[in-house]
């Protein structure tokens, strides 16, 4: 049927949210094990960036559904 942007954005939104969850889980595990503070800081930065990307994707999905 060709390229379907809404389906692609739906999958992209699931991947974005999953990526945030994975990085968050890695950060929690690192803290529980008493891991490197530098590693925790790096994971927190990645989480913030991934959350920003996930919000952009989710807002795009909501905007496109409204049109």
């Amino acid at each position: 049927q060709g390229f379907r942007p809404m389906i692609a954005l739906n999958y992209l939104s699931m991947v974005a949210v999953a990526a945030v969850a994975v990085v968050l889980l890695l950060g929690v595990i690192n803290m529980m094990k008493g891991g490197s503070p530098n590693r925790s800081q790096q994971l927190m930065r990645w989480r913030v960036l991934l959350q920003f990307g996930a919000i952009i994707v989710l807002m795009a999905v909501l905007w496109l559904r409204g049109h």
Side-chain angles (χ1 to χ4, degrees):
Q1 302 289 25
F3 180 69
R4 312 257 313 253
M6 280 308 299
I7 292 174
L9 278 175
N10 286 340
Y11 283 120
L12 184 60
S13 63
M14 288 187 282
V15 169
V17 171
V20 171
V22 166
V23 172
L24 178 62
L25 186 60
L26 288 173
V28 169
I29 290 170
N30 187 59
M31 281 192 336
M32 289 176 67
K33 290 168 63 175
S36 164
N38 289 334
R39 177 89 170 141
S40 288
Q41 192 67 240
Q42 183 182 26
L43 288 169
M44 187 167 47
R45 286 187 189 116
W46 272 104
R47 182 183 52 82
V48 169
L49 289 171
L50 288 171
Q51 281 178 321
F52 177 73
I55 289 170
I56 296 298
V57 170
L58 292 172
M59 293 303 291
V61 168
L62 290 174
W63 183 76
L64 287 173
R65 283 188 180 166
H67 282 83

